Amino acid sequence: METKMKNILVLLPVREEHKRLLEEKAPSANFIYANAETVDISLLLKANIIIGNPPARVRESKNLEWLQLQSAGIGEFAKKGMLPDGAVLTNASGAYGLAISEYMLGVLLEMFYNLHKYRDKQAKADWSYSGQAQSIYNSTALVIGLGDIGGEFARRLKALGAYTIGIRRKNAVKPDYL
């Protein structure tokens, strides 16, 4: 039985080394690289597999077998009729917890210590007081959503001495960082 060549549409920004790695893993596939914002509808229609977040017109792609999103959530792609029947939908849940939680911690510290105000004043050689700083230590933090990102953020807050409270959709065993 002859296997039909799969068309894999990659809508992520990739360097040549990434292309090489992908193509080595699926040498019999036809890889197409495009920009998610400007992708031509004809490429969507012939794709069997899409890697990245395509425009909503993906529902017209009757050949689509698998959509691998680059986002942690699935958003509009979970709506009935958004994908052709039988298409598998996967996301990148679990890929962003460390990076985003550390970014969130950085922003929280910026707010607690008025770092953005001091940065702006420093550029003007203004060394005046910018308000009382707060500490994460001995504070109380409410984290709504304890998935990969929220859980990692709560873990970091706890490590800095905050009392953490978490809310999630599913009833599960309380993690050690709460």
Side-chain angles (χ1 to χ4, degrees):
M1 183 168 116
E2 187 178 319
T3 305
K4 183 183 165 200
M5 180 185 286
K6 300 288 183 190
N7 291 311
I8 302 176
L9 176 59
V10 180
L11 298 175
L12 304 172
V14 290
R15 296 190 299 260
E16 288 303 317
E17 65 198 74
H18 298 133
K19 291 179 183 179
R20 182 182 49 77
L21 289 169
L22 286 168
E23 292 168 13
E24 281 176 4
K25 294 297 179 187
S28 63
N30 177 39
F31 281 85
I32 305 158
Y33 301 93
N35 180 304
E37 286 78 39
T38 59
V39 65
D40 186 273
I41 186 65
S42 66
L43 295 177
L44 288 173
L45 294 177
K46 68 181 185 178
N48 302 103
I49 299 169
I50 299 175
I51 303 172
N53 290 30
R57 295 193 65 184
V58 71
R59 74 183 68 157
E60 299 171 31
S61 180
K62 302 302 178 208
N63 294 320
L64 187 64
E65 299 169 22
W66 177 23
L67 172 57
Q68 170 60 56
L69 298 173
Q70 70 194 55
S71 54
I74 55 174
E76 67 180 332
F77 296 102
K79 293 178 183 171
K80 186 167 178 55
M82 189 63 174
L83 299 177
D85 290 341
V88 174
L89 175 63
T90 56
N91 65 9
S93 180
Y96 301 110
L98 178 63
I100 299 300
S101 68
E102 288 183 355
Y103 168 79
M104 292 166 60
L105 183 59
V107 171
L108 183 64
L109 288 167
E110 176 185 26
M111 293 184 330
F112 271 31
Y113 289 93
N114 300 310
L115 297 176
H116 56 295
K117 293 177 184 177
Y118 284 111
R119 177 204 59 223
D120 294 346
K121 285 182 171 188
Q122 183 181 18
K124 299 173 191 170
D126 177 358
W127 311 113
S128 63
Y129 180 67
S130 287
Q132 181 70 34
Q134 295 175 274
S135 179
I136 293 174
Y137 182 78
N138 275 341
S139 66
T140 300
L142 172 62
V143 180
I144 300 173
L146 289 176
D148 183 46
I149 295 170
E152 290 295 329
F153 184 57
R155 185 183 317 276
R156 279 153 184 74
L157 292 173
K158 176 88 171 190
L160 290 173
Y163 173 70
T164 55
I165 302 167
I167 298 173
R168 65 173 146 215
R169 283 182 288 189
K170 299 175 187 163
N171 186 17
V173 175
K174 179 182 157 193
D176 61 352
Y177 49 82
L178 294 179

